[in-house]
Amino acid sequence: MLLIACPYCGERDETEFHYGGQAHVAYPADPEALSDAEWGEYLFVRANPKGPFAERWSHAAGCRRWFNMLRDTATHQILAVYPAGQPCPSAAQTGSVIA
Amino acid sequence: MPEHLPEHPDWLWRTPNPKRSYDVVIVGAGGHGLATAYYLARNHGVTNVAVLERGWLAGGNMARNTTIIRSNYLCEESAALYEHALKLWEGMPEELDYDFLFSQRGVLNLAHTLQDVREGTRRVNANRLGGVDAEWLDPDQVREFCPIVNTSPDVRHPVLGATLQRRAGIAKHDHVAWALARKADAYGVDLIQGCEVTGFLRDGDGDRVVGVQTSRGPIAAGTVALAAAGHTSVLAGMVGLRLPLQSHPLQALVSELLEPVHPTVVMSNHVHVYVSQAHKGELVMGAGVDAYNGYGQRGSFPMIEHQMAAALELFPIFARAHVLRTWGGIVDVTPDASPIIGPTPIGNLHLNCGWGTGGFKATPASGWVYAHSIATGAPHPLAEPFALERFTTGALIDEHGAAAVAH
Ligand SMILES: Cc1cc2nc3c(=O)[nH]c(=O)nc-3n(C[C@H](O)[C@H](O)[C@H](O)COP(=O)(O)OP(=O)(O)OC[C@H]3O[C@@H](n4cnc5c(N)ncnc54)[C@H](O)[C@@H]3O)c2cc1C
Ligand SMILES: [Zn+2]
């Protein structure tokens, strides 16, 4: 069981949360300019690292707010939790290498 | 059905050292890698082949799956592929000359809502049009076919009916792998365990692979064929290839051994559990994937709690059964819940992945079509719609509904 520290409510069981996949995926700046391959990439391709992964979570059964989390997908260790809109904490801050 | 399991077959294949070079190197000795090697030799006469496995033969998802075999998928492309597999399953024990306890005891997919009923009846009709056996059962017929299912209308999620595929069933997964390994080995295929692929050898321009780097040294290859299931993204990343895959833990559990009580396989997407009884007597249960990505080969406790609650509502008779063991595998899930089979943008590098939660049933067909595309350089007609290009063209094969386990 993951114990996730919502930035707004504190530590709660993973069952209170909803997963939102990879964080920091920006909507294309100039959508009209994208080729089919680029659209396919934007819609369907996400990072899938074995190791640190920046991802989105929502505290669905609590404050209902979205935030970001850096988690190691091999060990399930939570390396950082930070509000949406903030940049991903650097390797130096978390003491790990971000894939 | 035989009474006893076959003995553990230590002697079924050689354990050769890797040669310096092969025509085809297959990465991953799960069921799909082994079936590919077998059909490369049997159907195409390609025998200068190595199957490289970082752990032990068939110790990945092949050893962890709940062995359900069926072909009642919704889309024509999938039904055709899985039906090809089911027909191969029906002949395989004889062909491989090895008993892997293939038991066509049927699969029920329960409906608990009006929408489930519509989905189920639609799928039955689609299956029949596609030549796949399928029936719709009302709740009384469900009770007749599987008396231990609670069909009372007074429960939270009453059973409103079910689809039934009678030719579906289960098989002893380890024995399937060993049977394929034995035959592939007999054709001269080298099965090399404890050999992890850690990189790729590229030609001068880097747009073709010419072999693999492994924990046991470099191995040259005319073709490199990935069959690495949940770790495909990790391998593809070594050649800078990004794929529409997400890896998730999927777990299962078994009870202690019980008298035969459960005559068929019962799946319920809505309450989210599926249950069958293994030949020895364990109740085998599974549910959906953990929602978040993961590579640790264990699942989360909330999933166990969730599936046990569902199992108890459907099968009150299980209330006193004890859990003996739980485990997890890592499955690679695509956006349309269908596999990816075929070439990659990198020369000589072939892909077979994305089978998600349901690739065991496809094992022989996966090997059959993959061997075809590797040996001939052209996709097998059954595999053509499953090419990587569909994520650019938009011709997705959306099987979320019929995949039967939520992803
Ligand atoms: C709990 C669970 C229940 C399931 N239930 C069912 C079911 O009832 N019916 C069904 O149809 N399907 C089911 N599945 C899905 C099915 O098991 C998979 O889709 C299928 O096994 C995938 O193909 P495979 O057998 O080749 O994969 P695997 O057996 O996982 O083979 C891949 C192999 O590649 C190896 N590998 C990875 N990286 C490397 C590397 N770098 N170098 C060398 N080797 C490497 C791995 O060690 C592994 O042995 C289930 C899966 C799980 C986890
Ligand atoms: Zn909160």
Side-chain angles (χ1 to χ4, degrees):
Chain A
M1 176 85 83
L2 298 180
L3 188 59
I4 299 175
C6 170
Y8 311 102
C9 311
E11 289 186 338
R12 302 294 176 86
D13 284 349
E14 71 179 65
T15 49
E16 291 192 14
F17 295 87
H18 179 82
Y19 186 61
Q22 189 184 353
H24 310 293
V25 180
Y27 188 77
D30 184 6
E32 304 274 308
L34 260 51
S35 68
D36 286 354
E38 286 164 336
W39 261 119
E41 170 98 7
Y42 168 69
L43 286 174
F44 300 124
V45 180
R46 294 290 179 270
N48 187 24
K50 183 176 187 173
F53 185 41
E55 55 195 13
R56 304 165 72 230
W57 289 80
S58 124
H59 191 186
C63 65
R64 302 184 55 80
R65 293 175 75 174
W66 284 92
F67 60 93
N68 292 336
M69 187 158 116
L70 188 65
R71 182 178 58 94
D72 188 312
T73 60
T75 63
H76 291 307
Q77 194 190 349
I78 295 171
L79 303 167
V81 176
Y82 54 102
Q86 279 189 13
C88 185
S90 71
Q93 283 165 293
T94 61
S96 68
V97 181
I98 297 165
Chain B
M1 199 195 301
E3 300 270 285
H4 301 289
L5 298 175
E7 294 296 314
H8 187 287
D10 290 327
W11 63 91
L12 287 183
W13 55 84
R14 300 162 295 133
T15 49
N17 287 317
K19 293 194 286 191
R20 289 186 156 194
S21 150
Y22 292 91
D23 293 339
V24 181
V25 162
I26 297 168
V27 185
H32 291 205
L34 293 169
T36 305
Y38 169 63
Y39 287 118
L40 270 173
R42 175 194 180 273
N43 291 359
H44 304 281
V46 180
T47 56
N48 185 21
V49 175
V51 185
L52 309 183
E53 169 56 51
R54 66 179 186 142
W56 64 94
L57 190 136
N61 291 320
M62 186 62 172
R64 295 158 198 269
N65 79 79
T66 45
T67 81
I68 296 165
I69 295 170
R70 60 189 181 87
S71 63
N72 56 352
Y73 279 65
L74 177 65
C75 303
E76 280 170 26
E77 299 88 345
S78 337
L81 185 61
Y82 289 102
E83 178 61 15
H84 183 59
L86 186 46
K87 290 204 174 105
L88 289 171
W89 281 113
E90 286 170 332
M92 259 170 55
E94 200 175 329
E95 179 182 323
L96 299 178
D97 187 25
Y98 198 88
D99 188 3
F100 50 75
L101 309 183
F102 179 46
S103 160
Q104 291 177 290
R105 59 183 64 187
V107 168
L108 287 173
N109 289 89
L110 301 181
H112 301 276
T113 65
L114 189 54
Q115 182 55 30
D116 283 353
V117 171
R118 289 177 179 145
E119 186 280 324
T121 47
R122 179 182 173 208
R123 188 155 43 80
V124 163
N125 290 328
N127 287 159
R128 287 185 170 179
L129 287 171
V132 175
D133 69 304
E135 292 162 51
W136 176 256
L137 303 189
D138 66 25
D140 288 338
Q141 292 169 311
V142 170
R143 186 168 47 236
E144 206 177 306
F145 195 72
C146 186
I148 58 171
V149 177
N150 183 5
T151 50
S152 158
D154 301 326
V155 294
R156 184 159 164 232
H157 300 289
V159 173
L160 302 183
T163 67
L164 168 62
Q165 184 178 23
R166 288 185 197 267
R167 286 165 60 241
I170 57 173
K172 191 88 178 77
H173 45 4
D174 300 331
H175 296 258
V176 173
W178 300 338
L180 287 165
R182 180 178 71 151
K183 283 285 184 197
D185 176 88
Y187 277 117
V189 170
D190 283 357
L191 306 174
I192 301 164
Q193 306 180 64
C195 182
E196 179 168 7
V197 172
T198 54
F200 291 85
L201 310 176
R202 321 273 287 265
D203 68 347
D205 307 337
D207 54 5
R208 273 188 318 134
V209 301
V210 294
V212 289
Q213 191 59 255
T214 80
S215 54
R216 297 177 66 177
I219 302 174
T223 298
V224 177
L226 302 185
H231 277 77
T232 305
S233 297
V234 175
L235 278 155
M238 295 173 189
V239 279
L241 191 61
R242 276 163 54 85
L243 296 170
L245 291 176
Q246 297 283 288
S247 295
H248 292 260
L250 175 66
Q251 61 184 323
L253 58 87
V254 291
S255 73
E256 63 204 305
L257 306 189
L258 300 168
E259 298 275 310
V261 286
H262 195 2
T264 184
V265 182
V266 175
M267 316 187 74
S268 168
N269 244 357
H270 189 76
V271 303
H272 228 129
V273 71
Y274 59 90
V275 189
S276 67
Q277 189 167 20
H279 295 85
K280 273 190 293 180
E282 310 98 315
L283 296 168
V284 182
M285 288 184 209
V289 295
D290 282 5
Y292 45 87
N293 294 23
Y295 285 89
Q297 283 184 323
R298 59 182 187 273
S300 66
F301 287 113
M303 289 306 298
I304 297 177
E305 197 176 11
H306 178 80
Q307 85 193 66
M308 298 294 259
L312 276 193
E313 175 166 325
L314 284 179
F315 303 97
I317 186 181
F318 295 168
R320 284 169 183 273
H322 294 108
V323 172
L324 197 68
R325 202 155 64 78
T326 77
W327 66 90
I330 303 304
V331 299
D332 49 335
V333 173
T334 60
D336 62 356
S338 292
I340 304 171
I341 314 164
T344 67
I346 294 162
N348 305 341
L349 182 64
H350 288 247
L351 199 57
N352 184 330
C353 62
W355 294 91
T357 58
F360 173 69
K361 62 179 71 65
T363 301
S366 167
W368 183 285
V369 300
Y370 200 29
H372 179 102
S373 62
I374 294 164
T376 67
H380 189 282
L382 287 172
E384 213 167 350
F386 295 93
L388 188 55
E389 285 84 64
R390 74 179 186 275
F391 297 100
T392 300
T393 62
L396 303 183
I397 304 166
D398 190 355
E399 277 293 2
H400 280 279
V405 173
H407 10 280

